[in-house]
Amino acid sequence: SRMPVGGFAALQGMDGTQLFTVMLVPAERQPSRAAGAGANGAGAGAGAAAADAAGSYMLPTAATCFNMLRLPEYPTEEVLEQQVTTALRHGCEGFAFG
């Protein structure tokens, strides 16, 4: 769908006009997919470590019928950027994961 002519203020929800809302939720960590993977750090640079750390957090979710983005409170701006980018790249159909 497209942005309405009036912008975010004119978004329609289930019961008429409904403002776009960003809800901050706790940033829960997901269990590791491969227990112990990379634990010794051999050959892993800081970039790999940062990517691994970001990958362990829940992705943002959206409730498009309520114009709501549930955004976890990530520990750093870098983790925020990586998780939002991942959600947008892989969830092009509303990115409602989990």
Side-chain angles (χ1 to χ4, degrees):
S1 67
R2 296 181 182 190
M3 178 62 68
V5 174
F8 279 103
L11 282 174
Q12 296 295 307
M14 292 178 60
D15 296 321
T17 301
Q18 184 156 347
L19 296 177
F20 183 81
T21 305
V22 177
M23 179 192 315
L24 293 177
V25 297
E28 298 176 12
R29 295 177 72 90
Q30 294 179 341
S32 175
R33 290 185 185 166
N40 64 4
D52 181 51
S56 65
Y57 284 98
M58 300 293 287
L59 293 172
T61 58
T64 55
C65 55
F66 296 109
N67 298 327
M68 180 184 301
L69 174 65
R70 289 181 295 272
L71 186 64
E73 296 183 85
Y74 298 115
T76 66
E77 190 173 320
E78 290 78 20
V79 173
L80 167 69
E81 181 178 354
Q82 177 151 5
Q83 296 302 88
V84 170
T85 300
T86 298
L88 291 172
R89 282 190 183 146
H90 298 285
C92 59
E93 307 221 357
F95 73 93
F97 298 106

